[in-house]
Amino acid sequence: PVTTLAIFKEQRLAENGRGHLYYSVLGESILNDAVAITLFGSFVNLVKSGEAIDGQVALRILLDFCGCFLASTLIGVAGGLATALLLKTARLGAGACEGEHFYFNVPEVGVTLVMAYVPFLAAEACDFSGIVAIMFAGITTRHYAHFNLTQVTRQIFLPTVELIASLCETYVFILLGLGVFLMRRAYSWPLIGWTLLACLVGRALNVYPLALLTNKLSSGPIMSVKEMHMVWMAGLRGVIAFICALGFPKQEDHQDYLLCTTVIMVGLSLVVLGWPTAFVLRCLHLDSSVPVQEPRLPRVSW
């Protein structure tokens, strides 16, 4: 949710001692998108084959998902390590003047952006999950390759990536807006209602138990109940769902119903849960500064 994260930055959550809330929403949303796309591909294959879901099929889907996720992770980690090695050995920024703040090292920035995209292409070419690969490539690159960049490139690279991410999300929303007028009308209000209920309840069953479990096991800052409410609200977006719906098999009118339901869900999530983010932060008193919590020992020892 690029828009939500932008609001978090505007409210200066990280500077106010709530960096764990910002990064929880960021990491959880990326992982959710990766899992959703991978599982959606498995169910699309099931729809195309016309198989009924039974124990054997469910086990096969689970094994396929685990294999795809693991292979995509390995591709991403390998891509991140390759980027770090390339930046360290090629010395693309060797001629840059560290004191020249307006120097823009085009080869270094270009190579880093291209290398960041290579794991996605490699995973998709192997019929794995590109978003899982690029997620772990980003984690690995940030950890191992970031400090192989010159100082000037480090200062401009992350804002450049954020700009590209914002433009990409804007493009998806433009596509979504045009799709409202171009797609066939196939609305099923019972389907929309049950989908909305399932999203809200499923989101709650995901966020609150895992947050409580993390508070028990993690040595990081404790997530309060108000922050759990914010995580529950911030993660309800539908851009990835809309892109997945476009790839649903065109059998009878199923894709039309799925697309219309997804558009309604995305619209509701934006209007009801997206725009009021800053207002909800103020209502929950999450926009004020809090003392930085000291690291604590896990409550459960293994």
Side-chain angles (χ1 to χ4, degrees), residues 190 205 280:
L205 293 176
V280 174

Side-chain angles (χ1 to χ4, degrees), residues 61-110:
I61 290 177
L62 178 61
L63 293 177
D64 289 344
F65 168 77
C66 293
C68 178
F69 198 91
L70 178 60
S72 302
T73 300
L74 293 176
I75 291 175
V77 172
L81 293 176
T83 303
L85 179 63
L86 178 62
L87 292 175
K88 185 175 183 179
T89 57
R91 300 181 61 81
L92 297 173
C97 178
E98 297 292 345
E100 192 174 352
H101 297 290
F102 296 100
Y103 180 81
F104 192 88
N105 193 331
V106 175
E108 191 175 38
V109 175

Side-chain angles (χ1 to χ4, degrees), residues 144-159:
Y144 292 104
H146 179 70
F147 293 100
N148 291 340
L149 298 169
T150 59
Q151 181 180 0
V152 177
T153 303
R154 288 200 300 268
Q155 293 174 350
I156 66 172
F157 186 74
L158 289 181

Side-chain angles (χ1 to χ4, degrees), residues 12-233:
R12 303 177 64 85
L13 289 190
E15 291 81 354
N16 291 337
R18 301 189 188 275
H20 60 283
L21 176 59
Y22 176 90
Y23 290 108
S24 294
V25 173
L26 172 62
E28 189 256 357
S29 63
I30 295 175
L31 187 60
N32 272 356
D33 292 346
V35 172
I37 291 177
T38 305
L39 283 179
F40 181 80
S42 299
F43 282 106
V44 163
N45 294 333
L46 192 63
V47 171
K48 290 179 179 179
S49 64
E51 295 181 78
I53 298 180
D54 53 21
Q56 184 178 0
V57 173
L59 180 61
R60 189 181 74 232
I61 290 177
L62 178 61
L63 293 177
D64 289 344
F65 168 77
C66 293
C68 178
F69 198 91
L70 178 60
S72 302
T73 300
L74 293 176
I75 291 175
V77 172
L81 293 176
T83 303
L85 179 63
L86 178 62
L87 292 175
K88 185 175 183 179
T89 57
R91 300 181 61 81
L92 297 173
C97 178
E98 297 292 345
E100 192 174 352
H101 297 290
F102 296 100
Y103 180 81
F104 192 88
N105 193 331
V106 175
E108 191 175 38
V109 175
V111 167
T112 307
L113 289 175
V114 171
M115 289 297 295
Y117 193 56
V118 166
F120 178 88
L121 297 178
E124 290 293 329
C126 298
D127 290 331
F128 296 134
S129 174
I131 193 170
V132 174
I134 205 170
M135 177 182 69
F136 284 96
I139 295 173
T140 308
T141 302
R142 173 67 175 174
H143 187 74
Y144 292 104
H146 179 70
F147 293 100
N148 291 340
L149 298 169
T150 59
Q151 181 180 0
V152 177
T153 303
R154 288 200 300 268
Q155 293 174 350
I156 66 172
F157 186 74
L158 289 181
T160 302
V161 172
E162 290 179 358
L163 173 62
I164 295 174
S166 179
L167 292 176
C168 290
E169 188 180 51
T170 302
Y171 167 75
V172 173
F173 282 120
I174 292 175
L175 179 64
L176 177 62
L178 293 176
V180 173
F181 300 99
L182 298 178
M183 66 186 183
R184 293 176 54 189
R185 303 293 188 271
Y187 296 101
S188 173
W189 296 110
L191 176 61
I192 294 173
W194 282 110
T195 302
L196 177 62
L197 179 63
C199 287
L200 295 176
V201 174
R203 179 75 181 163
L205 293 176
N206 173 40
V207 170
Y208 294 102
L210 291 179
L212 292 173
L213 182 63
T214 301
N215 286 343
K216 290 287 186 181
L217 303 180
S218 174
S219 60
I222 296 177
M223 182 174 291
S224 66
V225 176
K226 292 181 179 180
E227 291 171 339
M228 295 180 195
H229 296 336
M230 198 67 244
V231 173
W232 173 83
M233 178 180 174

